[in-house]
Amino acid sequence: VEERIRMPICTIYSPFWIMNKTGMKLQYRVSNQSKRYFDSGVGGLPIMIHCGKSEETNKAYKNASREIYVIPLEPPTKSVLQSWWDFSCNGELAMTKNALQRRGLTIVDWSEKIELSAAGTSGEVHCKDYVLNSSIKSLVGAFHSTNLITLSPRFVLKNMLHISITFVPLLGSLHEAIARSRQLRKHIGHVDSICSFNLLPNQSTVIYNFHDTNYGQSVEKTYRWIAFCVNASRFGGSFKSKWHLIPLEVMTSTYFGEHDGINDTMCGILEGKVHASDGGSTVVSIAHAPVPPFRIENRSNIHCIQFVQDDSDGVVFELPPMHSCGYCWDSPLGKKRLRAVVIPKKKSKHYRLRLALKMERDRHIKTAKDVEDNGTAKTADSVSSDDDSIGNTDVEPIVFAIKRGTRANIDSAVELKRTTALNHRNLYTVNSRSYSMNKVGRKKDLPCPEMKTLFDYPNSLDGTAMESNLFAHIRILAGTKILSFNDSPFLAEQVELGTTRKGGNFKSALCHIEFAGVGISIMDDFPREVMGVVIRDIQIHKPRGSIDSTAMVRHFQVDAMLPDARYPIIIQPLPLGVDRRNLPESTPGSIDRKDCYWLKNDEKPVPIFESSCSYVPQSNMVWVPRIDVSISPMKLQLDVDYLLRVVGMIIHSVSKHIGTNNTATSHASNKLKYTTRNQMSALLTYVEKLNISPVWFEIEMNIKSDDRNREEEVEESDLTLNAIARSTTSPVAAGVISWVINVGANFAHVSPSFKYKGVKQTDRYCDILDLFTELAISYIIQTIKQSYKVIFSMSLLGDPKLLAHQYKTGVTDLVLKSRDEFLSGGKDGVGKGATSFLQNVIGGTFFAVGKVAGGVADTIDSVTSNEMTSNHLKPKSLANADKPEHVVDGVIQGTTFLGQTVAHGFAGLIGNPYRGAKTGGVTGLAKGVASGTTGLFVAPFVGALGFIAKSTDGIGSTTKYLDLGVIEARCRPARTIPWGKPMAQNGLPFLKAIGVRIHTVRYQRIRKRVNRKQLNDKTERDDEDWQASKEYKRIRAAEDRRKCPPRKIVSIIHNKEKQHFLSSSVRPKLLEGHPGNLVISHYALTFEDTIILRSADFQLQDEVAINVWNTKMLKSATTKTKPLAVCKLTVGDIYASIFNYYKQQLSEKESRLSTIFAKNSEDLFSQNTEDANQNKRNKSIIIPPPQEFAMFRPGKDSKSPRKTNLEAIGEELASIKKDMDDFLNDFDSESSETDSDSSFLGGEKEKEESIGSVIKANEKLASSISLSFFPIPW
């Protein structure tokens, strides 16, 4: 039924669409159907199917399986596949030789089942030897009930080289694949030639099946491989290209080296990348590596170095002095270590090449001289050689020497093998060293042969022996790891000191970004604010002249803004104290910060997220020397029913704004696009040091709906647990689901604490996405390992994990803290260890007993309750009830719970059969009798368990009286949203508490009237008799009390918290020179005291009372004691005053920013101390404005007994008569120090009419209190 038009709408749709983009004809077999579907794969409309029989009912269709099976009918063809091919991204399409039969046997069959309902998944489809890819996505908009199943190629190979390659897809184990690649280098057999394919530059192809290399039963795990070789010409006809292996199971990059075929030098480095595409296919690209993965440097002036991969397939390389070369592993699947050795100069290839070159040059000179002398003379070599270049005198000597050397090496295979073996033997001596290329930094020194004379080493100036070792270190530069050998450790020391981190333009850059915060509010249709998400104090800072930058988020909190929410705060950081590192200088230089009372409580907490990193610009890589991440511990209170309600509301709201024309079906016919990482320009990242601090999360989760919401007529989301139970079509299933929810909710009130270890890694050189994935997997594994905490934190079990932690804490504190107090002599106080032991061991034990008793009681009640059980007279569940504050409160609540439970049991004995008979007839009557009898039987047990739970909770709460807790408050009060209007602008984004500055209190009192005539007569008497008389003492006491009244104190109370926030006590000061002191005494109290009003739930309509008391009166206060004066305000009134102050602060900031940005950037970020001080002196200051509020006497308690109309009229007349009598009475003075200062804001009046009766009407309004309000944002 459409809500807007209130009419039923019937939608006819296909639940599953199938798109065939494989390039071949397919046949589908659908579960529960005998019909077969054929798909040509050339595009057009998708195949629309359902998985059910036409004669089935709706119920049978919902319970039926939804699966399809696929089989290829024809081999893939280029004409079919190119209709889906994106040539601009993928390049030219080349099709391999794919057949459905091999050696007369069929290699395709029906695939395994494909779950059509598994939306959001992708995977392989195995049609025997053929491998395809399937991805399942849910459509949105008008087709939101439809799943799109796309069948596409699984493996795509792209040749991004400038020359062609030949490849063979292989299937086998690691050792079998390596053996096959070695065999392909020697000889390509008939079977391999059939499976091989030549791929031209910028061509791509699809791989459907792989050639199996397992000739027998292999015990190793099999993988898919791409074996390829580069079709490039080499010097020498007998040189055979190496076949490289790319593993397809690992998403990574593999580097391969191509040799020149002459001196085993590396002429090119290739990069094979394997990664997943958006549709789930695996893309393999072969391209030239932009930078070599490794570079070997020989920075020695005299030594030659030989190095080789420490593997059987390694090729020996040689570096002359002051030379370097790019390098990659000869065997990427072998042992990844490099072995190096220093060889004598005369044994090096470089020396022999120079010697051969010298001999050839001399021979060339001699031949030229002979030709010049004889004219037609020829050398023996030119006659016997079949190479024209040998006898050609115009050939360059270096080319001539290289060709001759090559010819000599290649002509003798035995000589080549002997030389290679000799080189390998030289590399495995006591002077060789093995190096790992994973870690960056200093490495083992490489020993050098003994140096003796200047003749052996002519570069040694003084002829003495040089250093006996070469200093080795590894660094990363421009995306390449460099292994460097040096004669001195100078370069390695400079790298370690960081002098090579230049920083470039980034170092001279300056960035300073600050956000006060970001707030997200969610509002329902009521309208009212449901949830608020706040991120506060976001800062990004990068100073000039440094490569370090910092990012910080001060606070993050998610609040449930409904006043009846079980958990008002859903997510918040645990308090870790105050961040005193950078105090804001928000006052001018001429004003002391201590005088700014509104800034004393502006202490910011420790940031919830803080990151510090450094960056060095490099080409072809991202260089991050250091990353430090600190995350504050978080507390999560999750009411699952409330969160599901909010999620359902968001989904419903979003679905209303999605246009009906947005069918989101255009991507169903999209071309196949395979973007490689070369095309995405992704760079590797080098992280020298990564440090993530340990973090933990305290979670409290409850899936049971709150009893406080059960009587509210509020629209419920379809995602709530009870709504899910009601949405089922089966009454039996609905009852079972509801019963499971109610019973399981008692087990699902858990409070685990997950702790995660810190992460410390060094020298990571990888893709940044791979690093993030690795970190995410590590945290997921730690979460799985700590899953047992969920079970052991159940309230039904008494949260044994928390109890064990409390026992450990209590006993440890009792021993250690008591010892420290004894050793310090009690300087820092005593009793902290005993207090911790009392709270954790004793209080924790009683709390655990209360949880067990309450959990068992709620479970029994849930098991015995059903749809016939009424909520009338039924007490709240113990999990949702208010916790007792102390032991007396616990006994009272336990007794009340016991009585209500027993009364509810007796009521159910009568009510349940009645409700059962009314809804279910005789069967319902029988169920009602059974449930009522069971409820009456278990009611005393449930009540007794509830009494135990409440009493023990009260005892446990009593032990917490010595604990100084932190008031957890929402970020701000919930805003008021008018009906039919959009959400109003949020005035104050953050208001955790209210600061109240009490300035002065002014009041007046009537002086005691003294008969001057009697006073003059009394003065004529004897002084001693007069001073001893009671009348004189009474007059003198009244006068002393007038001049020195008792001390006063101010208290502020929030009507929800019921807690007095007290100021300091101040003695009133008599204003002697005030006019009218002969009749009225004027007093002033100067407090200048600040009170922080904190509450867990501030709402704008809440009432705040400001009371004035006598100090002694407050100390002996009872529930009947009244203050001397009261001023009542609402949070909304205070909010309006604070908002005006906040607007003035914003205006001042805007004017300052406009002034600052009028200057140039140098003045803006000037580091000059004089300029900074001048800016500080010119800064204006905004203070909270003082306000005057009237003070009134507290009214009499209004009693509201039920009276008749005549009684009410008589009482009203009596009240009027009393007011008239009070108006005619005069004021009386204070008689003693222990009275309530009745003359304050009024008092007893004289019987006779006097001037005081005239002043009485204005006396209430004459007294006032001066207050200032300012926000406490933290």
Side-chain angles (χ1 to χ4, degrees):
V1 177
E2 178 65 29
E3 295 182 358
R4 293 177 295 178
I5 59 178
R6 300 294 181 184
M7 292 185 64
I9 295 177
C10 178
T11 303
I12 301 175
Y13 67 95
S14 173
F16 307 109
W17 294 2
I18 302 178
M19 293 295 294
N20 178 14
K21 301 180 181 181
T22 59
M24 66 182 80
K25 293 183 180 180
L26 300 178
Q27 183 180 2
Y28 307 132
R29 187 182 71 195
V30 184
S31 60
N32 305 317
Q33 294 184 14
S34 58
K35 182 180 178 181
R36 300 290 185 268
Y37 298 89
F38 296 91
D39 192 348
S40 62
V42 295
L45 291 177
I47 302 296
M48 301 181 183
I49 62 172
H50 67 90
C51 298
K53 299 178 181 178
S54 58
E55 64 271 10
E56 284 183 335
T57 61
N58 189 36
K59 179 180 178 181
Y61 170 72
K62 288 184 176 181
N63 296 329
S65 59
R66 298 171 175 83
E67 303 163 354
I68 65 167
Y69 303 85
V70 181
I71 186 172
L73 297 180
E74 294 181 1
T77 58
K78 184 177 181 180
S79 60
V80 177
L81 185 58
Q82 67 182 2
S83 60
W84 299 104
W85 199 254
D86 190 336
F87 292 92
S88 61
C89 178
N90 305 334
E92 183 183 354
L93 175 64
M95 294 299 296
T96 60
K97 301 181 288 291
N98 293 283
L100 301 184
Q101 292 184 347
R102 183 184 299 159
R103 300 173 186 174
L105 301 177
T106 303
I107 60 174
V108 295
D109 200 352
W110 285 103
S111 68
E112 67 275 9
K113 63 180 180 180
I114 303 175
E115 294 286 349
L116 302 180
S117 300
T121 61
S122 62
E124 295 183 359
V125 178
H126 298 273
C127 303
K128 200 174 181 179
D129 288 351
Y130 266 60
V131 183
L132 306 176
N133 180 71
S134 68
S135 63
I136 305 174
K137 297 180 180 179
S138 293
L139 302 180
V140 295
F143 299 95
H144 64 277
S145 299
T146 299
N147 285 353
L148 174 65
I149 297 90
T150 304
L151 298 174
S152 60
R154 180 63 178 178
F155 298 99
V156 177
L157 176 62
K158 302 176 68 174
N159 179 17
M160 305 182 71
L161 299 173
H162 67 285
I163 52 180
S164 64
I165 62 172
T166 302
F167 74 92
V168 177
L170 301 177
L171 176 66
S173 63
L174 173 62
H175 294 89
E176 292 170 344
I178 294 176
R180 178 55 62 89
S181 66
R182 293 173 179 172
Q183 179 183 351
L184 289 173
R185 184 174 187 180
K186 297 178 180 179
H187 174 69
I188 299 179
H190 176 70
V191 177
D192 295 327
S193 62
I194 296 176
C195 300
S196 63
F197 184 78
N198 189 28
L199 198 61
L200 299 178
N202 297 322
Q203 280 190 345
S204 302
T205 187
V206 176
I207 301 175
Y208 294 96
N209 58 346
F210 294 82
H211 179 53
D212 194 355
T213 60
N214 296 325
Y215 295 105
Q217 189 67 25
S218 177
V219 295
E220 298 184 33
K221 184 178 179 180
T222 58
Y223 303 97
R224 297 186 182 94
W225 310 84
I226 294 291
F228 76 96
C229 72
V230 180
N231 301 326
S233 59
R234 304 295 202 282
F235 287 104
S238 62
F239 181 83
K240 296 183 179 296
S241 299
K242 185 177 181 180
W243 283 74
H244 309 289
L245 288 174
I246 302 178
L248 302 184
E249 312 294 338
V250 182
M251 304 296 172
T252 185
S253 296
T254 308
Y255 294 91
F256 310 98
E258 285 291 318
H259 299 265
D260 60 0
I262 304 176
N263 296 314
D264 285 331
T265 57
M266 199 166 286
C267 61
I269 297 178
L270 311 180
E271 182 180 10
K273 291 185 178 181
V274 182
H275 63 94
S277 65
D278 294 337
S281 301
T282 300
V283 182
V284 184
S285 63
I286 302 174
H288 292 284
V291 292
F294 307 111
R295 179 172 294 278
I296 314 300
E297 290 183 346
N298 182 9
R299 289 176 172 266
S300 174
N301 292 320
I302 57 176
H303 297 295
C304 293
I305 298 175
Q306 282 187 350
F307 61 91
V308 66
Q309 181 181 357
D310 202 351
D311 190 78
S312 58
D313 291 338
V315 178
V316 179
F317 289 84
E318 184 178 303
L319 276 181
M322 300 304 295
H323 281 69
S324 66
C325 69
Y327 181 74
C328 70
W329 301 118
D330 291 310
S331 176
L333 301 175
K335 185 178 181 181
K336 291 183 172 58
R337 293 187 68 89
L338 193 73
R339 182 167 291 275
V341 67
V342 176
I343 61 175
K345 182 178 180 180
K346 295 181 179 181
K347 294 183 179 181
S348 65
K349 288 183 179 180
H350 181 69
Y351 177 81
R352 288 184 292 173
L353 181 63
R354 290 181 60 185
L355 184 61
L357 181 61
K358 182 177 181 301
M359 294 175 60
E360 198 64 36
R361 186 181 293 111
D362 295 341
R363 185 173 182 176
H364 179 72
I365 295 173
K366 182 179 180 181
T367 304
K369 185 177 180 180
D370 293 340
V371 170
E372 184 180 354
D373 294 339
N374 302 325
T376 58
K378 294 184 179 180
T379 62
D381 288 340
S382 64
V383 175
S384 61
S385 175
D386 58 354
D387 192 347
D388 295 337
S389 62
I390 298 296
N392 189 2
T393 57
D394 296 332
V395 179
E396 289 290 336
I398 182 64
V399 178
F400 185 82
I402 290 176
K403 288 188 175 182
R404 184 170 182 183
T406 303
R407 187 178 296 271
N409 287 337
I410 294 178
D411 288 343
S412 177
V414 177
E415 180 66 18
L416 175 64
K417 186 178 296 184
R418 189 191 68 80
T419 306
T420 304
L422 180 62
N423 290 336
H424 275 271
R425 285 199 300 269
N426 292 334
L427 283 161
Y428 288 89
T429 61
V430 293
N431 292 325
S432 65
R433 294 293 183 267
S434 179
Y435 298 97
S436 173
M437 304 295 289
N438 295 328
K439 297 295 183 180
V440 176
R442 292 286 296 268
K443 297 296 179 180
K444 293 180 293 185
D445 295 341
L446 183 63
C448 301
E450 185 178 359
M451 308 175 189
K452 295 182 179 180
T453 63
L454 179 64
F455 177 78
D456 293 331
Y457 299 98
N459 291 336
S460 180
L461 299 179
D462 55 358
T464 60
M466 300 180 65
E467 291 287 345
S468 59
N469 294 321
L470 291 182
F471 299 92
H473 73 276
I474 295 179
R475 67 185 190 276
I476 294 182
L477 186 64
T480 301
K481 285 187 177 180
I482 302 175
L483 174 59
S484 179
F485 297 95
N486 303 267
D487 290 328
S488 69
F490 175 77
L491 181 59
E493 292 172 354
Q494 296 301 311
V495 171
E496 292 180 352
L497 293 175
T499 57
T500 58
R501 303 170 186 170
K502 299 300 181 181
N505 294 331
F506 176 78
K507 189 174 183 179
S508 60
L510 175 66
C511 176
H512 187 76
I513 301 174
E514 288 190 19
F515 291 96
V518 178
I520 301 173
S521 299
I522 301 175
M523 183 182 67
D524 60 6
D525 295 332
F526 193 78
R528 57 183 176 180
E529 201 170 6
V530 177
M531 181 179 289
V533 181
V534 176
I535 306 174
R536 302 180 57 187
D537 196 3
I538 305 171
Q539 298 183 14
I540 301 174
H541 181 60
K542 187 321 188 144
R544 179 184 289 131
S546 174
I547 62 173
D548 297 329
S549 60
T550 58
M552 182 189 69
V553 176
R554 180 78 62 181
H555 187 75
F556 172 73
Q557 186 167 320
V558 179
D559 297 329
M561 304 304 292
L562 293 181
D564 57 352
R566 174 187 288 160
Y567 301 124
I569 304 175
I570 300 175
I571 303 176
Q572 65 175 333
L574 292 174
L576 293 180
V578 178
D579 185 8
R580 304 185 184 276
R581 290 173 296 179
N582 296 315
L583 291 176
E585 293 292 338
S586 55
T587 59
S590 59
I591 299 178
D592 190 0
R593 183 180 173 85
K594 296 181 180 179
D595 298 332
C596 303
Y597 59 85
W598 61 93
L599 299 177
K600 292 182 180 180
N601 296 280
D602 192 16
E603 294 181 330
K604 297 182 179 181
V606 175
I608 135 193
F609 172 81
E610 196 168 7
S611 174
S612 174
C613 68
S614 54
Y615 169 72
V616 178
Q618 287 286 324
S619 59
N620 302 315
M621 66 172 291
V622 179
W623 186 3
V624 183
R626 178 180 55 87
I627 299 179
D628 293 326
V629 179
S630 176
I631 303 175
S632 170
M634 303 295 293
K635 181 178 182 181
L636 286 75
Q637 295 177 309
L638 306 178
D639 184 357
V640 178
D641 205 61
Y642 182 86
L643 295 179
L644 289 176
R645 185 181 291 111
V646 174
V647 171
M649 181 185 65
I650 294 175
I651 294 176
H652 178 69
S653 177
V654 171
S655 62
K656 291 192 300 183
H657 296 283
I658 296 179
T660 56
N661 295 328
N662 183 18
T663 59
T665 59
S666 59
H667 67 278
S669 301
N670 285 348
K671 299 284 187 179
L672 293 175
K673 182 181 293 186
Y674 301 105
T675 305
T676 62
R677 291 194 177 183
N678 284 337
Q679 294 170 314
M680 295 186 294
S681 300
L683 299 178
L684 296 180
T685 302
Y686 171 50
V687 181
E688 290 189 26
K689 294 181 180 180
L690 173 63
N691 183 21
I692 302 177
S693 63
V695 65
W696 67 90
F697 296 91
E698 293 184 1
I699 303 175
E700 183 175 358
M701 184 175 63
N702 200 330
I703 71 170
K704 191 171 185 180
S705 58
D706 197 347
D707 292 341
R708 292 175 291 184
N709 300 329
R710 62 189 179 194
E711 296 181 358
E712 291 187 2
E713 296 181 359
V714 180
E715 182 181 357
E716 189 175 25
S717 170
D718 294 335
L719 287 180
T720 58
L721 300 177
N722 293 326
I724 293 174
R726 292 195 301 267
S727 63
T728 181
T729 56
S730 173
V732 178
V736 172
I737 294 176
S738 300
W739 182 83
V740 170
I741 291 173
N742 291 330
V743 176
N746 298 296
F747 293 89
H749 184 200
V750 295
S751 55
S753 178
F754 292 96
K755 296 184 179 181
Y756 299 91
K757 300 178 181 178
V759 177
K760 290 185 178 181
Q761 295 187 7
T762 57
D763 299 327
R764 289 299 307 272
Y765 186 60
C766 60
D767 194 330
I768 192 65
L769 296 179
D770 297 338
L771 179 60
F772 289 156
T773 303
E774 180 182 339
L775 293 176
I777 293 175
S778 68
Y779 282 113
I780 292 174
I781 293 175
Q782 291 185 63
T783 304
I784 295 174
K785 291 181 179 179
Q786 300 179 77
S787 58
Y788 70 93
K789 295 181 179 180
V790 177
I791 300 175
F792 288 101
S793 64
M794 289 182 178
S795 296
L796 185 65
L797 302 178
D799 200 347
K801 181 181 177 299
L802 176 62
L803 182 61
H805 177 71
Q806 288 178 323
Y807 275 10
K808 177 182 178 181
T809 304
V811 174
T812 304
D813 290 348
L814 179 63
V815 176
L816 298 181
K817 290 186 177 181
S818 300
R819 181 200 63 184
D820 295 340
E821 292 170 358
F822 176 77
L823 295 177
S824 63
K827 293 181 180 180
D828 298 330
V830 294
K832 296 180 181 179
T835 302
S836 177
F837 181 82
L838 178 66
Q839 293 174 356
N840 290 285
V841 178
I842 307 236
T845 302
F846 280 106
F847 276 127
V849 173
K851 289 179 181 179
V852 173
V856 173
D858 287 343
T859 303
I860 295 176
D861 180 68
S862 300
V863 171
T864 57
S865 299
N866 53 23
E867 67 276 6
M868 300 174 189
T869 305
S870 174
N871 290 328
H872 185 61
L873 296 178
K874 185 177 181 180
K876 290 183 180 180
S877 64
L878 295 170
N880 296 328
D882 298 331
K883 299 297 182 183
E885 298 180 357
H886 45 77
V887 61
V888 177
D889 190 18
V891 173
I892 294 174
Q893 290 188 20
T895 305
T896 304
F897 183 87
L898 176 61
Q900 290 181 349
T901 304
V902 174
H904 181 264
F906 279 105
L909 184 62
I910 301 174
N912 288 7
Y914 169 75
R915 286 183 287 273
K918 185 177 180 180
T919 57
V922 179
T923 305
L925 176 63
K927 292 182 180 179
V929 171
S931 64
T933 305
T934 306
L936 178 62
F937 176 76
V938 302
F941 297 99
V942 175
L945 291 172
F947 177 81
I948 296 173
K950 290 292 185 180
S951 301
T952 53
D953 283 346
I955 297 174
S957 299
T958 304
T959 62
K960 292 291 183 181
Y961 268 112
L962 299 176
D963 188 17
L964 297 177
V966 178
I967 298 178
E968 299 176 350
R970 294 187 177 104
C971 282
R972 57 173 175 80
R975 72 184 79 182
T976 303
I977 304 173
W979 176 262
K981 294 184 179 181
M983 185 180 295
Q985 182 180 4
N986 193 12
L988 281 174
F990 321 116
L991 185 63
K992 299 281 284 187
I994 297 175
V996 182
R997 181 70 172 185
I998 305 173
H999 298 290
T1000 60
V1001 174
R1002 298 173 62 91
Y1003 72 95
Q1004 56 191 15
R1005 47 174 285 194
I1006 304 299
R1007 294 183 62 179
K1008 173 65 178 178
R1009 300 187 63 183
V1010 181
N1011 192 328
R1012 299 296 179 181
K1013 182 178 180 181
Q1014 295 179 0
L1015 186 60
N1016 293 332
D1017 293 342
K1018 291 176 182 178
T1019 57
E1020 296 176 357
R1021 301 177 184 177
D1022 186 69
D1023 292 340
E1024 295 182 359
D1025 296 341
W1026 167 238
Q1027 294 178 2
S1029 63
K1030 293 182 179 180
E1031 183 67 15
Y1032 176 82
K1033 292 180 179 180
R1034 185 183 65 82
I1035 295 175
R1036 179 56 60 188
E1039 184 66 15
D1040 293 341
R1041 185 176 178 84
R1042 187 183 74 86
K1043 293 182 178 180
C1044 187
R1047 302 178 73 89
K1048 302 293 189 294
I1049 194 171
V1050 176
S1051 70
I1052 301 179
I1053 183 173
H1054 183 222
N1055 62 342
K1056 290 183 179 180
E1057 297 296 331
K1058 304 299 182 183
Q1059 177 183 357
H1060 287 270
F1061 297 90
L1062 303 177
S1063 70
S1064 58
S1065 61
V1066 176
R1067 187 175 297 279
K1069 182 180 180 180
L1070 176 63
L1071 304 179
E1072 297 287 352
H1074 197 283
N1077 267 347
L1078 297 177
V1079 180
I1080 301 175
S1081 298
H1082 296 265
Y1083 295 91
L1085 295 92
T1086 303
F1087 286 91
E1088 294 302 334
D1089 202 358
T1090 302
I1091 294 178
I1092 307 301
L1093 184 61
R1094 295 188 181 272
S1095 176
D1097 184 18
F1098 268 132
Q1099 300 297 335
L1100 297 180
Q1101 65 272 16
D1102 294 347
E1103 187 179 83
V1104 177
I1106 303 172
N1107 305 319
V1108 178
W1109 309 74
N1110 277 335
T1111 304
K1112 293 184 179 180
M1113 178 182 176
L1114 185 62
K1115 290 181 180 179
S1116 60
T1118 62
T1119 56
K1120 296 182 179 180
T1121 305
K1122 295 182 180 180
L1124 302 177
V1126 179
C1127 176
K1128 293 186 177 180
L1129 303 172
T1130 63
V1131 175
D1133 298 332
I1134 301 175
Y1135 185 89
S1137 175
I1138 295 177
F1139 182 57
N1140 292 329
Y1141 167 68
Y1142 176 72
K1143 289 195 298 183
Q1144 291 295 328
Q1145 285 184 322
L1146 290 182
S1147 300
E1148 194 272 335
K1149 289 181 180 179
E1150 290 177 359
S1151 63
R1152 189 169 72 251
L1153 286 175
S1154 61
T1155 304
I1156 290 176
F1157 280 101
K1159 302 179 181 180
N1160 54 30
S1161 59
E1162 292 294 333
D1163 295 334
L1164 173 61
F1165 301 103
S1166 176
Q1167 302 296 328
N1168 194 332
T1169 306
E1170 183 178 353
D1171 295 342
N1173 294 333
Q1174 182 64 31
N1175 292 334
K1176 185 177 178 181
R1177 287 192 296 269
N1178 295 336
K1179 187 182 299 182
S1180 60
I1181 185 171
I1182 305 296
I1183 65 173
Q1187 294 178 274
E1188 296 285 337
F1189 295 93
M1191 303 289 292
F1192 298 94
R1193 284 185 300 171
K1196 296 183 178 180
D1197 295 336
S1198 60
K1199 299 181 180 180
S1200 57
R1202 190 177 298 275
K1203 301 182 179 66
T1204 62
N1205 293 337
L1206 294 177
E1207 289 177 348
I1209 294 173
E1211 185 176 311
E1212 183 67 21
L1213 291 175
S1215 175
I1216 295 174
K1217 183 176 181 302
K1218 185 176 182 305
D1219 290 341
M1220 292 298 295
D1221 293 340
D1222 291 340
F1223 182 77
L1224 298 176
N1225 293 333
D1226 198 2
F1227 299 97
D1228 194 8
S1229 63
E1230 300 167 337
S1231 58
S1232 65
E1233 293 186 359
T1234 58
D1235 61 7
S1236 62
D1237 200 342
S1238 59
S1239 63
F1240 182 84
L1241 300 178
E1244 296 295 333
K1245 301 179 181 178
E1246 294 183 358
K1247 301 291 183 180
E1248 57 186 12
E1249 183 177 358
S1250 62
I1251 192 172
S1253 63
V1254 181
I1255 303 174
K1256 195 266 179 186
N1258 297 325
E1259 185 178 11
K1260 294 181 179 180
L1261 299 178
S1263 301
S1264 63
I1265 183 171
S1266 177
L1267 302 173
S1268 296
F1269 304 104
F1270 55 93
I1272 304 295
W1274 304 102

